[in-house]
Amino acid sequence: TITNPVCNSGMDGSISVVLEDAMGDPVDPSPFTLTWIDLSDMSIVATGVNEILNQPVGNYRLEVEYDATNNCIVAEDFVIVEFSAINPNFNVVQLTCRDTPDASITLNPLGGDAPYSYQWFRNGSTFGGNTSFIDNLDFGTYTVVITDDTGCGILVDDPALIIQEIPAFTVSETT
């Protein structure tokens, strides 16, 4: 059984195997030498166990030595797969006029495991509700934490989420 990490870049992947004889019946692994190898660098991950836990994404090999005298080995390769990262995919509409809070931010996240929840911040303070769309915004720096259904999240603090202030100006009579 392969269990992929719950979140992108997670370290909670695992592989668990049952040794079977030619008839498909489970076999006690204790008389065999089991060696787990990380194929990215050929390092030994574990020995003497039928499972490896808390592993990152990668390619692994289990070598089972069943006849030490003749160096007889059976090997099987396994892959722990990367979970899809959350991509915030957003659109920002800037202010149209000074002193008119009409900017908006729309999120359309991809990846992760929908549905998503949202926690917005304006200039570092909690702002808005659990929504992918906020409007009637004034100038300021907006950030958002997007969390997917598995509890994995990302902080989006992209400079594009800054609503720009429209400079003040005056009109004066020329003489």
Side-chain angles (χ1 to χ4, degrees):
T1 302
I2 298 174
T3 304
N4 297 316
V6 173
C7 296
N8 184 267
S9 301
M11 296 286 294
D12 57 345
S14 65
I15 304 170
S16 178
V17 299
V18 174
L19 300 181
E20 298 174 344
D21 63 19
M23 301 298 291
D25 295 323
V27 175
D28 177 17
S30 59
F32 306 104
T33 303
L34 283 70
T35 304
W36 289 94
I37 300 167
D38 181 337
L39 294 177
S40 68
D41 61 5
M42 299 309 289
S43 63
I44 295 175
V45 174
T47 59
V49 294
N50 66 331
E51 67 181 350
I52 52 174
L53 305 172
N54 301 316
Q55 297 300 310
V57 167
N59 297 305
Y60 298 89
R61 174 173 292 148
L62 172 61
E63 293 183 349
V64 180
E65 186 177 49
Y66 61 91
D67 182 348
T69 305
N70 295 311
N71 195 31
C72 297
I73 296 175
V74 173
E76 183 74 28
D77 291 350
F78 301 89
V79 179
I80 296 177
V81 179
E82 183 82 62
F83 189 78
S84 173
I86 299 171
N87 176 347
N89 195 31
F90 57 86
N91 182 53
V92 177
V93 175
Q94 292 289 337
L95 294 169
T96 55
C97 297
R98 182 174 174 79
D99 300 326
T100 306
D102 62 351
S104 65
I105 302 172
T106 305
L107 293 168
N108 185 21
L110 303 169
D113 189 16
Y116 307 98
S117 63
Y118 308 91
Q119 177 62 61
W120 289 93
F121 299 89
R122 179 177 184 264
N123 299 328
S125 297
T126 302
F127 174 85
N130 181 15
T131 180
S132 62
F133 175 73
I134 55 174
D135 61 354
N136 300 319
L137 304 178
D138 204 352
F139 69 90
T141 301
Y142 293 84
T143 57
V144 61
V145 174
I146 303 172
T147 306
D148 72 5
D149 200 43
T150 61
C152 302
I154 62 164
L155 170 64
V156 183
D157 60 353
D158 194 291
L161 292 180
I162 297 174
I163 304 294
Q164 301 295 327
E165 181 176 17
I166 295 177
F169 67 94
T170 58
V171 176
S172 55
E173 182 179 345
T174 58
T175 57

